Amino acid sequence: MTVVRWLAILPFLGILVGVGFVNRVEPLVLGMPFVLAWIVGWVVVGSALMAIVYALDPANRQGEPVAREDRP
Amino acid sequence: MNSALLIIGLVTATALGLGLAARRGVKMTLEQWTVAGRGFGGGLVFLLQAGEIYTTFTFLGGSGYAYGKGAPAYYILAYGSLAYILSYWLLPPIWRYAKQERLVSQSHFFARKYDSPGLGILVAIVGVVALVPYLVLQFKGLGIIVSVASYGSISSSAAVWIGAATVTVYVMSSGMHGVAWNAVVKDILILAVVVFLGIYLPMHYYGGYGSMFHAIDAAKPGFLTFKPTGQSVLWFQSTVALTALGFFMWPHAFSAVFTARQERTFRRNAMLLPLYQLILLFVFFCGFAAILKAPGLTGGNIDLSLFKLSIQTFDPSFIGVIGAAGVLTALVPGSIILVSAATLVANDVLRPLTPGLADEKVTLAARGLVPVIALVAVYFTLRGGETIVALLLMGYAFVTQLFPAVVCALMARNPMTRPGAVAGILVGVAAVAYVTLTHSTFVSLLPFLPAKAGEINIGFAALILNVVAATVVSLATRPSAVTAASRLG
């Protein structure tokens, strides 16, 4: 877990640092300006990385046997 | 009266009716009024939290910013995602502490953690100050919707009064109970409207996203990327950092954390909610579609862009549906903000200052404060001229100043002392207030800095001053330092 946790840093690097290097329109990706598509990409990747972190985090496996929570 | 106004009026009346019906059989104690007795199930809490991003801010503000400013609007897509990732580690310890100490507000969290009722009051005041621009932008949105949908027959200032009166009546009568019902309707309606418009408008006018962005890039070179100066990459970075850190510092967002049933909820939301944010893309597409097809809006009027293009495109009856969705996006968050602000003043400022105040008096004060706060917001709305996004960024600049003290308080050994926390918050808030009130920039406050530093979001710049002040004062007032000094003296 301690190693996996560092995955969460990547979206911060991608969005906060990366945007400085991809600040351009071409090539369009899925019809969007490149810099916008880059940010969208990191939102999706960020969600996937958090799914990995969630799955491997022992805190989410053990305990909390209290009644199953309502799903949204 | 045209069909657009008729539909908007009907939906508003239904929303009011639902709100009034929701309070039946409920004795309005403060807890019922503010958190609906903590009786909301997990699904409803999820909706209330996820729906937070669908306010007038995103609907009109997001499309307007894309229309008027271009690339800077991208920040709106980025910050929520990073905030949710932070929340994976930030919210569970807050929730555990709140549960253990039976806390009901953000102000209590500070008062207890730093053992200082005074700090609690300061935090409550910062919260109210930050909530006012957030409320102003909801009223501004309501004003835009009503006046545009009336095709000019209702002036925008009259529309602001109508909108503000509706929210006030709604909140005073039912508090949070009314909100919950309407939040569900609002989310479904706005999702459908935004996705439809975000697909239809670019297809209809340009034949697709690619050709739309090519056309914009050809007509306005540099509009779709960050500028070399002004709203540059540096502005984007500091703005995303500010808003991601401040995301859960809003008084209402902070105390919403307390309502969850188990801490795992936050960790699951951290992976699910970022995807929900992608709906914002469709909002941007509406704004971008309007650039070349409904040109001419400037200044605070850029927030009208979505409606201006829609009116050129659709029948009045469909404008009514868009308007009704828009009214709900302002009504629901507007009510949440108004309830939070009134409760903050009554419960976290008045109560600690008047010992022995009965609960019923506090409830009465909170409800009595609703129209007062609404009037203050109407005043600022009518004075206006700011764009919706600028208003929210102002709120963020204030509320994010609470972040350092929260994070330090969660550490096993809090490195921040009570005077350190107070100093940091005061310095940060003072810097934001100075720059906002004098319409100056950060560089005019600290003239020795290079001009490039002026591109840093003022809220983020103030956050740096905040951390410096908190560090210096904490070091000077460390218990060990104090005892050492007293031993010497």
Side-chain angles (χ1 to χ4, degrees):
Chain A
M1 180 56 199
T2 40
V3 183
V4 176
R5 187 184 297 181
W6 292 99
L7 286 178
I9 299 274
L10 295 176
F12 288 86
L13 293 175
I15 289 178
L16 290 176
V17 181
V19 162
F21 298 93
V22 296
N23 189 23
R24 53 174 184 266
V25 178
E26 302 286 348
L28 296 187
V29 179
L30 300 172
M32 293 182 280
F34 191 78
V35 58
L36 175 59
W38 173 268
I39 295 169
V40 171
W42 275 109
V43 172
V44 177
V45 169
S47 183
L49 291 174
M50 290 318 286
I52 297 173
V53 171
Y54 182 87
L56 296 178
D57 190 342
N60 299 314
R61 261 178 285 156
Q62 52 169 13
E64 298 203 308
V66 209
R68 271 191 51 215
E69 209 178 338
D70 298 356
R71 298 235 159 212
Chain B
M1 177 177 277
N2 63 55
S3 56
L5 265 191
L6 192 69
I7 292 172
I8 294 173
L10 279 177
V11 169
T12 309
T14 312
L16 278 173
L18 275 175
L20 291 173
R23 75 170 292 207
R24 275 209 320 219
V26 179
K27 190 174 170 289
M28 279 293 159
T29 61
L30 188 67
E31 217 182 14
Q32 282 294 343
W33 192 68
T34 55
V35 290
R38 289 169 208 287
F40 291 167
L44 204 49
V45 170
F46 176 88
L47 254 184
L48 283 175
Q49 286 191 318
E52 194 93 321
I53 58 171
Y54 296 120
T55 73
T56 325
F57 163 67
T58 41
F59 188 53
L60 299 181
S63 56
Y65 221 58
Y67 171 95
K69 310 271 180 179
Y74 303 160
Y75 100 84
I76 298 168
L77 196 63
Y79 76 96
S81 170
L82 297 185
Y84 287 124
I85 293 174
L86 281 177
S87 78
Y88 190 96
W89 290 278
L90 180 67
L91 299 189
I94 293 178
W95 179 85
R96 279 195 295 269
Y97 186 73
K99 191 181 172 196
Q100 175 199 324
E101 302 283 323
R102 309 195 64 77
L103 303 181
V104 294
S105 74
Q106 182 187 34
S107 160
H108 285 172
F109 177 89
F110 280 87
R112 195 70 57 86
K113 274 284 190 189
Y114 287 91
D115 188 23
S116 162
L119 181 59
I121 294 173
L122 174 66
V123 166
I125 292 171
V126 172
V128 174
V129 169
L131 284 174
V132 168
Y134 206 169
L135 188 58
V136 168
L137 78 87
Q138 310 295 348
F139 286 177
K140 183 178 184 224
L142 277 172
I144 288 174
I145 293 160
V146 174
S147 87
V148 171
S150 73
Y151 291 83
S153 63
I154 298 178
S155 75
S156 69
S157 51
V160 168
W161 281 107
I162 295 172
T166 312
V167 178
T168 308
V169 168
Y170 182 67
V171 165
M172 287 187 76
S173 53
S174 62
M176 280 301 278
H177 274 282
V179 169
W181 284 75
N182 287 311
V184 180
V185 183
K186 177 207 82 162
D187 271 20
I188 295 166
L189 192 58
I190 197 70
L191 257 161
V193 165
V194 160
V195 172
F196 170 76
L197 289 179
I199 294 172
Y200 180 83
L201 293 174
M203 293 297 160
H204 177 71
Y205 283 109
Y206 302 89
Y209 297 125
S211 44
M212 175 174 81
F213 284 115
H214 275 305
I216 296 169
D217 195 37
K220 305 181 90 171
F223 192 72
L224 298 172
T225 53
F226 295 100
K227 321 266 173 300
T229 58
Q231 288 187 315
S232 62
V233 169
L234 185 59
W235 176 87
F236 170 82
Q237 291 163 328
S238 55
T239 303
V240 170
L242 172 82
T243 45
L245 297 179
F247 200 79
F248 291 100
M249 294 302 121
W250 290 96
H252 57 293
F254 197 96
S255 49
V257 170
F258 305 165
T259 63
R261 237 175 279 167
Q262 44 176 297
E263 61 178 275
R264 201 177 350 192
T265 311
F266 306 120
R267 295 199 274 263
R268 202 177 46 217
N269 283 355
M271 64 176 170
L272 294 180
L273 288 178
L275 292 179
Y276 208 51
Q277 294 259 310
L278 289 177
I279 307 289
L280 292 175
L281 266 179
F282 295 98
V283 178
F284 292 167
F285 295 154
C286 298
F288 282 124
I291 292 173
L292 300 178
K293 300 298 170 186
L297 300 172
T298 54
N301 283 333
I302 59 175
D303 296 322
L304 294 162
S305 63
L306 184 145
F307 267 105
K308 193 174 177 200
L309 184 60
S310 297
I311 281 190
Q312 284 170 219
T313 317
F314 303 107
D315 280 352
S317 56
F318 190 66
I319 298 298
V321 175
I322 301 174
V327 166
L328 290 180
T329 62
L331 202 58
V332 174
S335 316
I336 295 176
I337 295 164
L338 204 46
V339 169
S340 305
T343 311
L344 273 172
V345 178
N347 202 36
D348 297 314
V349 179
L350 290 183
R351 193 202 286 266
L353 289 178
T354 29
L357 199 64
D359 277 3
E360 301 83 71
K361 287 271 171 58
V362 176
T363 312
L364 205 64
R367 292 175 80 169
L369 279 162
V370 165
V372 177
I373 294 167
L375 275 177
V376 171
V378 167
Y379 168 76
F380 284 111
T381 313
L382 295 178
R383 229 179 47 143
E386 296 276 21
T387 63
I388 284 176
V389 171
L391 286 167
L392 189 72
L393 283 177
M394 194 194 297
Y396 263 109
F398 283 113
V399 88
T400 307
Q401 305 308 326
L402 303 177
F403 185 80
V406 169
V407 170
C408 287
L410 295 174
M411 292 180 185
R413 287 193 55 207
N414 187 350
M416 199 183 283
T417 63
R418 185 190 313 160
V422 173
I425 293 170
L426 281 180
V427 165
V429 168
V432 175
Y434 171 81
V435 170
T436 310
L437 294 175
T438 59
H439 295 285
S440 56
T441 67
F442 178 53
V443 177
S444 69
L445 197 63
L446 299 171
F448 55 85
L449 291 172
K452 186 82 183 157
E455 293 168 13
I456 298 176
N457 185 306
I458 169 60
F460 190 77
L463 191 63
I464 296 172
L465 297 181
N466 172 339
V467 171
V468 170
T471 308
V472 170
V473 174
S474 291
L475 286 176
T477 56
R478 242 182 351 193
S480 55
V482 174
T483 37
S486 61
R487 233 180 273 134
L488 283 175

